């Protein structure tokens, strides 16, 4: 296949944030693991992306030792890239790595739906990649602005709305399993 699975920012930094909510993370973990298993069965390479903010005094500062796999997500990857931008392309060699391997289609998953996952999707589409956004395998948390709080589900729905048909195809794990054939459950 000319496809790669990007697992974006699935790193130990996030549970150290005050907005982390394990009740929201639990169903995501299940879907992310299902997607990883599906990709492994289909022979699709996993590309791990980490976000880091050196000197920031946040859990994303490499000095804190949290730029490592989120617990339970330590499977081997074909490549790993460290980014400081919100997308996985701007300050990494990801695009070159993908082109060198003839990869034209990306499967997007990870943390946070509306930030690094959505931004990577937009840039990937602009660079000419076909993109499948597996919304159920992305995780986000409620956000508040001007006294109004948007739920994680509101944010996910908005992301699907603005990406679908413009930057990506919105799919779920079951749809990919069906497309990838009987060898992929």
């Amino acid at each position: 296949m000319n496809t790669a699975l990007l697992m974006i920012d699935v790193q130990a930094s996030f549970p150290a944030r005050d907005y982390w909510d394990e009740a929201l993370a639990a169903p995501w973990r299940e879907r992310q693991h299902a997607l990883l298993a599906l990709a492994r069965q289909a022979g699709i390479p996993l590309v791990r992306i980490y976000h880091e903010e050196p000197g920031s005094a946040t859990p994303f500062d490499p000095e804190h030792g949290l730029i490592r796999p989120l617990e339970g997500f330590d499977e081997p990857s074909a490549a790993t890239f460290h980014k400081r931008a919100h997308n996985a392309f701007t300050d990494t060699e990801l695009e070159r790595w993908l082109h060198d391997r003839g990869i034209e289609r990306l499967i997007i998953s990870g943390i946070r739906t509306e930030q690094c996952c959505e931004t990577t999707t937009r840039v990937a589409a602009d660079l000419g990649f076909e993109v499948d956004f597996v919304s159920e395998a992305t995780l986000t948390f409620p956000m508040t602005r001007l006294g109004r709080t948007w739920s994680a589900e509101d944010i996910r729905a908005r992301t699907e709305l603005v990406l679908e048909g413009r930057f990506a195809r919105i799919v779920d794990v079951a749809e990919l399993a069906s497309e990838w054939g009987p060898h992929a459950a």
Side-chain angles (χ1 to χ4, degrees):
M1 290 185 135
N2 64 345
T3 302
L5 169 61
L6 301 189
M7 188 168 66
I8 300 169
D9 300 350
V10 178
Q11 62 193 69
S13 308
F14 276 103
R17 301 296 280 192
D18 61 355
Y19 53 74
W20 181 265
D21 182 342
E22 192 56 41
L24 291 171
W28 162 79
R29 284 178 194 272
E30 182 180 312
R31 301 318 308 153
Q32 183 73 67
H33 280 297
L35 181 59
L36 288 165
L38 177 65
R40 190 170 39 253
Q41 290 171 347
I44 293 170
L46 169 64
V47 178
R48 187 182 300 276
I49 311 294
Y50 289 121
H51 185 81
E52 58 185 31
E53 299 172 4
S56 68
T58 72
F60 296 93
D61 185 334
E63 294 294 319
H64 295 296
L66 299 174
I67 310 300
R68 56 183 163 77
L70 181 65
E71 185 177 335
F73 291 95
D74 56 355
E75 43 278 293
S77 61
T80 299
F81 296 93
H82 292 254
K83 65 179 179 60
R84 295 180 183 173
H86 286 98
N87 75 82
F89 291 98
T90 298
D91 60 355
T92 70
E93 293 296 316
L94 175 61
E95 183 180 10
R96 178 178 305 179
W97 188 91
L98 295 167
H99 286 307
D100 286 351
R101 284 149 187 82
I103 294 171
E104 300 170 348
R105 180 179 178 205
L106 302 178
I107 310 301
I108 303 291
S109 68
I111 306 174
R112 292 187 59 168
T113 305
E114 77 293 349
Q115 289 183 29
C116 296
C117 294
E118 179 179 334
T119 307
T120 296
T121 298
R122 289 171 179 265
V123 173
D126 284 349
L127 292 172
F129 291 96
E130 293 179 44
V131 183
D132 287 338
F133 191 88
V134 188
S135 187
E136 68 180 355
T138 68
L139 175 63
T140 197
F141 305 94
M143 296 173 73
T144 301
R145 181 175 184 268
L146 300 175
R148 177 178 173 197
T149 299
W150 281 265
S151 70
E153 196 50 48
D154 291 339
I155 294 166
R156 185 172 293 107
R158 176 238 164 245
T159 299
E160 291 175 355
L161 172 69
V162 299
L163 290 180
E164 186 162 34
R166 295 168 191 88
F167 299 97
R169 181 177 72 134
I170 307 302
V171 296
D172 60 24
V173 176
E175 189 172 352
L176 290 175
S178 169
E179 291 175 7
W180 294 347
H183 65 280

